């Protein structure tokens, strides 16, 4: 996916140069997943660091007791024992645990901002709700980089966050992956080169909202028809662009921002993360994906995932779930706490997610609760397996599985040093490293990044 | 013995507990009585006819007792959630399954949700299996700002009605959102509340007959000396809620967050000499000493640490610790999951508060004995003591760790079933999962 993305970009730069010099029309390659707002993120100042004597959960299934991790120039260079450490700052991890930085694949931080006011109730940035298809919207254009929720996430050990639109529209728009570092704009917190995703939804939300306004859809069958229609148009759009870039047609199709996104999905350049709960709804959408030849990368919430593991496994679709939310809508009535362990045990891909700035501060606890639910049925994974649900598995679903989510040589040095077992409610993130820089240190009073909103407000004391 | 095998052993002991009249003895319990700060190690808890007979260290169980070996695990009284809508909410999005509010123009303070409690609720069944044995259930809105109405105490018994005692508190809501939606300014909410209290006070002193109906949430006319407008509600009992508050029989619960409103609540308590309970209280830590002096209790959400609204800018994780340190009685109720995960959420919340400075024993108290104290259930529950209901939970680990599970839950001496809608779903789909699991490579 990344490779294709880069070759499109190179192609566009080359062609843009040619176009300015020549009167004859340049053959532009399709720019479905072009990144016109690239990241300007710069890693924070860092020093080479080695953490020693620590219990490591590496995110690849291993647990190393009394281990060492060496980080140089923002990368993890070695993991093991008795590593060479010339020039590195030594941090004693005795009695403490080290994991990859926590990754939250489902957040509305920055778009459900705090403090929430009535202004947001009538016009919210969570989703553009004027139409069930807003595939042309990009959530990164709405994110308030100064939302206090970002620093709360950082202090809780979260190092990568996917912010995505909500679930009222069926095609809700493109997501963005960010690092929760202090920033004034989105590009400066944007994960460099991370693919945008497409948020989609199924089920009750779209039909309840639009149905009330006598708009399509007001039924599940209307939702599927709308989605299929949109992908059929996207196929035509993609084919017309390809024909044009090959030279077999003279004119490109008129630029359509919605179809750009959908064509990119068809080309596998943009992963789909779909809000969906019910087994029958997930199955219907898997059918649509098969019909149009793309993969749904993840179902978000997927409370019925335990009922359809074979279907999920067959196409490699992941489930991003809660530990225990259930029942507040009809489509969540069958949510069970054993969802994650059952999907996992049957060989499916499962991870935790938050969809909440509160839960997003305790994703390891979400995993702990989910694992405990497996105890009575003999399906409780050990810590070294469990940690994957909040690190390497979401990393992979975001197309970043080779860069973050694992403590291994060549990975970005995104790690969290916990005061104890990360699955215990009593443990805290002592130190959080992003790209090898110590971005949060609990030992430093007032050391956490306070958002602009919080400044100069006497009632807001230093957060514990 | 591994946790898994311990659970199996407990399952074997289940049958022992169902005959309520039988004598049961839990042995080798690490018994958190909550009377003392320390647990009683190797405790023997004797239960008969649904009540606790004794809690004694290393005592030999009665010869006729069926014995449950807790194997040194933590044993606590059943959990109590100080603010839920159990029995009033089934599927939140389906408004016809929601009974916590009356429409505008409704009965106001006299709104009484006891008539709507659904003992068969799936939410109650799950909460009971999670170790919740009692709960307050309260109304959101009675249709006259700022009144919610009267709430009830539930005893989550498995058979029969869960309603234990109606009209245990008068609930109100004061704050930015509720004001904006009704009377416009929170000042008007406070005035309406004070006027209603003044009116009830005046009516009580003016009336000659105890059966005369008095004010029920409608603001009084100009002078406090004049009796307020009466509202006669079919089925209304003779002592209106405001009278019960004024006479000290029940507390006035005020759902509010902002420091200024919490201060108003403390002032109200001392101005009228009434018991006040704050629900929410995100900024209550800033008023800790005044709350302690006015003996105002706080039911808080210990996970609230973000400035969600302008009423909650000073939210912080050590709210519970700071309040308790100042001597304020605290209990817990977590927003959003107070009904759906009424039992499980309490333990995670208390654990989080302990992780942020609340002493461990106070964490346990905040979800067991303190709510009993606040809502007047401490005659029957909240501690492990002779004469109390045998509402007891044996845990497989530290009850404040979210990863711990209850192995046996007793409600009034009866073992609560672990069979729920959720467990049955799990069991239906588990065989296919196991078939897949054995076909898949063993995972690291």
């Amino acid at each position: 996916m990344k490779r294709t993305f880069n070759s499109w970009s190179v192609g566009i730069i080359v062609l843009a140069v040619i176009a300015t010099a020549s009167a004859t029309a340049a053959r532009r390659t399709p720019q479905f997943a072009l990144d016109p707002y690239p990241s300007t993120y710069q890693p924070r100042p860092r020093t080479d660091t080695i953490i020693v004597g620590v219990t490591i959960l590496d995110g690849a299934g291993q647990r190393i007791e009394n281990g060492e991790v060496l980080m140089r120039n923002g990368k993890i260079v070695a993991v093991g024992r008795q590593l060479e450490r010339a020039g590195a700052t030594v941090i004693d991890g005795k009695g403490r645990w080290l994991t990859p930085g926590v990754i939250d694949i489902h957040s509305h931080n920055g778009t459900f901002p705090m403090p929430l006011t009535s202004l947001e109730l009538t016009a919210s940035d969570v989703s553009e709700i004027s139409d069930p298809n807003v595939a042309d919207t990009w959530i990164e254009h709405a994110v308030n980089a100064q939302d206090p929720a970002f620093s709360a996430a950082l202090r809780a050990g979260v190092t990568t966050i996917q912010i995505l639109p909500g679930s009222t529209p069926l095609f809700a728009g493109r997501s963005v992956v960010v690092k929760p570092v202090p920033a004034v704009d989105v590009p400066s917190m944007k994960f460099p080169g991370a693919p945008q995703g497409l948020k989609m939804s199924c089920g009750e939300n779209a039909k309840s909202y639009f149905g009330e306004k006598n708009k399509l859809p007001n039924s599940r069958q209307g939702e599927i028809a709308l989605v299929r229609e949109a992908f059929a148009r996207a196929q035509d759009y993609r084919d017309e662009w390809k024909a044009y870039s090959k030279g077999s047609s003279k004119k490109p199709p008129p630029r359509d921002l919605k179809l750009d996104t959908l064509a990119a999905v068809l080309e596998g350049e943009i992963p789909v993360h779909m809000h969906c709960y019910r087994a029958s709804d997930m199955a219907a959408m898997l059918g649509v994906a098969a019909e149009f030849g793309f993969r749904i990368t993840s179902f978000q919430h997927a409370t019925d995932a335990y009922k359809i593991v074979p279907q999920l496994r067959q196409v490699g679709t992941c489930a991003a779930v809660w530990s225990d939310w259930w029942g507040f809508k009809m489509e969540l009535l069958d949510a069970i706490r054993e969802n994650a362990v059952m999907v996992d045990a049957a060989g499916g891909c499962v991870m935790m997610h938050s969809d909440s700035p509160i839960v997003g501060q305790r994703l390891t606890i979400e995993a702990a609760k989910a694992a405990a639910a497996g105890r009575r049925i003999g399906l409780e994974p050990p810590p070294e397996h469990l940690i994957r649900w909040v690190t390497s598995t979401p990393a992979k679903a975001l197309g970043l599985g080779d860069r973050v989510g694992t403590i291994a040589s060549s990975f970005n040095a995104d790690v969290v040093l916990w005061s104890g077992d990360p699955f215990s409610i009593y443990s805290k993130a002592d130190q959080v490293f992003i790209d090898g820089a110590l971005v949060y240190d609990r030992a430093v009073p007032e050391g956490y990044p306070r958002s602009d909103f919080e400044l100069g407000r006497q009632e807001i004391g230093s957060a514990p | 013995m591994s946790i898994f095998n311990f659970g199996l052993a407990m399952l074997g002991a289940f049958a022992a507990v169902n005959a309520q009249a039988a004598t049961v003895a839990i042995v080798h319990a690490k018994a958190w009585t909550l009377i003392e700060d320390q647990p009683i190690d190797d405790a023997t808890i004797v239960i008969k006819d649904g009540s606790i007979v004794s809690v004694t260290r290393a005592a030999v169980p009665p010869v006729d007792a069926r014995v449950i070996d807790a194997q040194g695990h933590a044993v606590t009284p059943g959990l109590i959630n100080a603010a839920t809508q159990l029995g009033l909410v089934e599927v939140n999005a389906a408004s016809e399954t929601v009974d916590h509010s009356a429409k505008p123009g409704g009965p106001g303070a006299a709104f009484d949700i006891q008539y709507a409690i659904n003992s068969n609720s799936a939410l109650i069944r799950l909460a009971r299996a999670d170790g919740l044995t009692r709960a307050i259930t309260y109304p959101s809105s009675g249709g006259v700002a700022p009144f919610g109405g009267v709430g009830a105490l539930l005893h989550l018994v498995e058979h029969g009605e869960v309603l234990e005692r109606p009209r245990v508190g008068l609930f109100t809501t004061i704050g930015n959102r509720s004001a904006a939606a009704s009377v416009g300014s929170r000042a008007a909410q406070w005035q309406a509340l004070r006027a209603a209290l003044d009116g009830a006070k005046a009516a009580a002193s003016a009336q000659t007959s105890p059966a005369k109906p008095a004010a029920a949430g409608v603001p009084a006319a100009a002078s406090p000396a004049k009796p307020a407008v009466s509202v006669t509600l079919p089925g209304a009992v003779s002592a209106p809620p405001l009278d019960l508050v004024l006479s000290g029989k029940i507390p006035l619960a005020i759902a509010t967050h902002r420091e200024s409103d919490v201060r108003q609540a403390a002032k109200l308590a001392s101005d009228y000499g009434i018991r006040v309970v704050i629900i929410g209280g995100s900024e209550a830590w800033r008023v800790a000493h005044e709350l302690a002096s006015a003996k105002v209790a706080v039911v808080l959400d210990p996970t609230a640490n973000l400035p969600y609204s302008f009423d909650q800018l000073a939210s912080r994780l050590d709210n519970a610790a700071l309040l308790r340190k100042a001597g304020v009685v605290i209990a817990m109720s977590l927003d959003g999951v107070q009904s759906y995960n009424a039992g499980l959420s309490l333990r995670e919340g208390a654990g989080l508060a302990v992780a942020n400075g609340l002493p461990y024993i106070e964490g346990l108290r905040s979800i067991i004995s303190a709510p009993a104290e606040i809502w007047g259930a401490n005659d029957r529950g909240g501690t492990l003591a002779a004469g109390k209901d045998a509402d007891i939970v044996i845990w497989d680990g530290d009850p404040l760790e979210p990863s711990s599970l209850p192995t046996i839950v007793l409600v009034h001496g009866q073992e609560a079933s672990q069979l729920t809608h959720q467990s049955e779903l799990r069991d239906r789909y588990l065989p296919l999962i196991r078939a897949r699991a054995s076909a898949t490579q063993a995972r690291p």
Side-chain angles (χ1 to χ4, degrees), chain B residues 46 59 144 150 248 291 298 318 329 350 357 371:
Chain B
V46 179
V144 179
V150 285
L291 293 174
V298 179
D318 58 353
V329 174

Side-chain angles (χ1 to χ4, degrees), chain B residues 288 318-330 358-359 362 365-366:
Chain B
D318 58 353
N319 191 17
L322 292 167
L323 286 169
R324 195 70 202 110
K325 193 164 170 202
V328 178
V329 174
I330 58 162
L358 185 68
E362 298 300 335
R365 290 202 167 109
S366 70

Side-chain angles (χ1 to χ4, degrees), chain B residues 145-158:
Chain B
F147 293 98
V150 285
L153 173 66
L154 307 181
H155 192 193
L156 305 189
V157 292
E158 192 144 308

Side-chain angles (χ1 to χ4, degrees), chain A residues 4-14 16 28-38 138 140-141 174 190 194-196 255 257 260-261 263-264 269-270:
Chain A
T4 312
F5 172 83
N6 280 336
S7 67
W8 283 141
S9 305
V10 168
I12 283 150
I13 290 165
V14 166
R28 279 166 53 210
T29 50
Q31 47 195 344
F32 309 134
L34 179 67
D35 183 11
Y37 310 97
W138 297 14
E140 62 195 80
H141 296 143
R174 298 197 196 185
K190 204 169 168 183
Q196 292 171 310
R255 183 86 185 278
L257 297 182
D260 274 358
T261 299
E269 292 168 20
I270 284 184

Side-chain angles (χ1 to χ4, degrees), chain B residues 232-256:
Chain B
T232 311
L233 193 71
V237 290
S238 56
L242 285 157
D243 289 357
L244 294 172
V245 168
L246 285 165
S247 60
K249 290 198 174 57
I250 66 174
L252 175 69
I254 306 176
T256 197

Side-chain angles (χ1 to χ4, degrees), chain A residues 360-381:
Chain A
Q361 296 176 57
R362 274 176 293 285
L363 280 170
T364 51
I365 301 302
E366 280 291 287
K369 287 190 284 180
R375 186 171 309 145
R376 289 195 179 125
I377 51 176
L379 292 180
E380 186 175 7

